[in-house]
Amino acid sequence: MNRTFSIGGVHPHDNKISRGCAIETLPVPETVYIQLSQHIGAPAKPIVAVGDKVKVGQPIAEPGGFVSAFIHSSVSGTVKSIAPRKDLAGNPQMAVEIAVEGDEWLEGIDTSDTLLTDIPSDDKAILAKIRLGGVVGLGGATFPTHVKLSPPPGKKCDMLIINGCECEPYLTSDFRTLLEKGEQVAVGTAILKQVLGVDQATIAIEENKPEAIAHMEEVLASLRKLSSNYAGIRVMSLRKRYPQGGEKQLIDAVMHRQVPSGALPIDVGAVVQNVATALAVYDAVQKNKPVIDNSITVTGECFPRQANLLVRVGTPLSFIIDYLGGVPEDAVKVISGGPMMGRAIANLDAATLKGTSSLLFLTAAQTSRRAETACIRCGKCADACPMGLEPFLLVRLARAGMTAELEENAVQDCIECGCCLYSCPAGIPLLDHIRMAKGQMLGIIRSRNAKK
């Protein structure tokens, strides 16, 4: 039987209704709005001014701190403004507005389809290209990749794990990337493996994607004949289970190691990168192409045209939706991401980010919640929690405002996967309460650490 993680988890229906849709390149919009805060850490600082002419791939913002990333123009044209603009949640964020004029790329970027399998030997030069390319984790966390590839002193990586699980219902862009860009993903994996100095890398894919598993095994078999760089990279089929794509759950499934509370994956010898991140590493190192686009699933049973689209960063959501036929009459909610961990979009004029993975359209019937009844102490939420928490207890503590007890019971470890809410027969909005309590607790912890 295929491996899986050892604690909690649920089995929502796949609903991968866009899995047969090949990635299609979206036309370039007339204007893009490139947000300066679209990665974990400090927002980037603009290095262009209003009136400047820019090309595709040209840096327009530099890192604002150690944990930060370069941001590049995804189009060629003129900078029209650098000003606050509402994001997906309706909150103002600084963004660079660029009016599109043609599609001229920065010199030195290789836009050909030629596969480059020879990997540079200078690891410092590779890291520099990843940093200058603005590569961040594209599985949702958007942590700057060059930082993740530089473990602190005393920490050693034993295995690189490439996350191809895509366990969220509806999402299929990673699946299509494995099928259509599998060779590039494999080369990117070998580059990451070399920089980390590890012998072993695992491309982990859930069993409900047999085409991707077979294709990646064929790709690696071919590449091993070309170079020893691809030795030690294997494909692992995992049992379908949500949220297997979570870093800690994936490490448990692949390595049988559990990341302790408050620790990081590197503390147990693991580094996890997403499939799309491995592709972005290939582009940055082999093609000198920074992160200026990403693949997005547009889906939902009520949406008339399923699609996986290659979209320039900063493209207005309304442009994507109009291209595919507009918002369906019976859609009442649009989610950025999947139905389990995604967030409702409050502003369809917001622009895509590097980490935007999906637009999911839902009907009233799909978004309605059961009427809340009293907790019956069944323990299903605790059984489902992949972090080993007790959601029913955390909610009681949150409602009572018992801050110290919330920290003692590790509310800060919640990964907001929604398994508790999904499994609760009483319809209690467990995740809503825990998410708010977690946010407050993290604020308290940051304030306390700042005083030390």
Side-chain angles (χ1 to χ4, degrees):
M1 181 179 290
N2 290 332
R3 297 186 188 188
T4 188
F5 56 97
S6 58
I7 301 174
V10 294
H11 297 85
H13 192 277
D14 286 353
N15 290 321
K16 305 284 190 179
I17 53 181
S18 58
R19 63 181 295 137
C21 302
I23 297 173
E24 176 185 353
T25 300
L26 183 75
V28 180
E30 294 182 355
T31 306
V32 296
Y33 305 89
I34 303 177
Q35 191 172 302
L36 298 180
S37 179
Q38 54 176 303
H39 48 255
I40 284 180
K45 298 178 180 178
I47 55 175
V48 292
V50 174
D52 285 355
K53 298 288 186 179
V54 295
K55 298 178 181 180
V56 180
Q58 178 178 327
I60 60 172
E62 63 184 4
F66 175 67
V67 180
S68 190
F70 278 95
I71 295 176
H72 303 76
S73 177
S74 61
V75 296
S76 63
T78 301
V79 176
K80 290 297 185 183
S81 69
I82 303 173
R85 180 178 170 81
K86 290 184 179 180
D87 65 8
L88 301 179
N91 299 316
Q93 301 284 352
M94 291 299 294
V96 178
E97 176 188 4
I98 304 173
V100 176
E101 299 162 0
D103 197 30
E104 185 178 359
W105 288 62
L106 191 69
E107 293 78 6
I109 298 176
D110 183 355
T111 59
S112 73
D113 292 329
T114 304
L115 179 69
L116 303 178
T117 59
D118 293 333
I119 299 172
S121 58
D122 188 340
D123 291 349
K124 288 186 178 179
I126 289 175
L127 266 177
K129 280 193 171 185
I130 291 172
R131 177 177 180 271
L132 292 172
V135 181
V136 298
L138 298 176
T142 62
F143 192 88
T145 301
H146 69 279
V147 178
K148 205 171 187 179
L149 296 177
S150 306
K155 306 291 184 183
K156 183 180 181 300
C157 179
D158 298 324
M159 180 181 287
L160 166 68
I161 302 174
I162 301 299
N163 183 358
C165 291
E166 200 165 43
C167 59
E168 269 270 16
Y170 290 99
L171 275 59
T172 59
S173 59
D174 282 353
F175 168 71
R176 295 306 314 184
T177 295
L178 286 169
L179 289 183
E180 299 175 37
K181 296 285 184 178
E183 293 83 359
Q184 291 86 342
V185 170
V187 177
T189 301
I191 293 170
L192 290 165
K193 183 169 77 77
Q194 177 180 304
V195 171
L196 288 167
V198 295
D199 296 325
Q200 301 294 321
T202 297
I203 301 175
I205 307 172
E206 286 195 325
E207 62 190 354
N208 60 342
K209 305 172 186 66
E211 308 96 323
I213 293 169
H215 180 62
M216 291 308 299
E217 287 176 340
E218 292 174 4
V219 164
L220 288 168
S222 298
L223 289 173
R224 289 188 196 107
K225 297 176 183 177
L226 299 178
S227 171
S228 60
N229 288 324
Y230 303 95
I233 304 176
R234 62 173 176 169
V235 177
M236 180 181 288
S237 174
L238 298 178
R239 184 148 39 107
K240 177 194 156 212
R241 193 176 184 185
Y242 176 84
Q244 195 140 238
E247 274 193 331
K248 295 183 178 182
Q249 287 68 43
L250 189 55
I251 292 167
D252 183 8
V254 173
M255 300 177 68
H256 296 311
R257 298 181 185 179
Q258 293 188 3
V259 182
S261 175
L264 297 172
I266 192 62
D267 293 320
V268 296
V271 169
V272 180
Q273 299 284 3
N274 180 260
V275 162
T277 309
L279 174 59
V281 165
Y282 168 86
D283 286 338
V285 175
Q286 304 293 78
K287 298 286 190 174
N288 295 316
K289 178 191 171 187
V291 179
I292 56 96
D293 54 25
N294 62 331
S295 295
I296 296 174
T297 300
V298 185
T299 186
E301 283 87 352
C302 66
F303 199 73
R305 182 182 170 191
Q306 307 298 309
N308 290 294
L309 300 175
L310 185 64
V311 178
R312 301 284 180 101
V313 173
T315 298
L317 302 183
S318 55
F319 179 84
I320 300 172
I321 296 167
D322 289 344
Y323 175 77
L324 294 173
V327 178
E329 290 185 4
D330 53 346
V332 299
K333 183 177 288 188
V334 187
I335 302 289
S336 176
M340 299 295 286
M341 294 187 74
R343 299 293 182 98
I345 298 172
N347 173 32
L348 291 180
D349 288 325
T352 62
L353 309 172
K354 292 180 183 181
T356 302
S357 62
S358 171
L359 297 178
L360 171 61
F361 292 80
L362 299 174
T363 64
Q366 291 173 310
T367 58
S368 63
R369 291 186 176 183
R370 299 189 301 271
E372 180 179 348
T373 58
C375 174
I376 60 173
R377 308 294 193 272
C378 65
K380 287 185 177 180
C381 60
D383 291 340
C385 180
M387 296 302 295
L389 305 177
E390 297 179 305
F392 65 90
L393 174 61
L394 295 177
V395 170
R396 287 175 61 192
L397 296 174
R399 283 174 165 169
M402 301 175 71
T403 305
E405 290 79 3
L406 280 167
E407 184 173 9
E408 290 172 5
N409 286 276
V411 70
Q412 63 274 13
D413 286 351
C414 172
I415 61 173
E416 303 181 28
C417 63
C419 288
C420 56
L421 176 62
Y422 181 85
S423 61
C424 178
I428 301 170
L430 296 162
L431 178 58
D432 298 355
H433 291 290
I434 294 172
R435 180 179 281 156
M436 287 188 288
K438 175 189 171 183
Q440 294 169 355
M441 179 54 59
L442 290 176
I444 292 170
I445 292 172
R446 283 193 293 267
S447 177
R448 187 169 63 216
N449 291 338
K451 294 177 181 178
K452 290 182 180 180

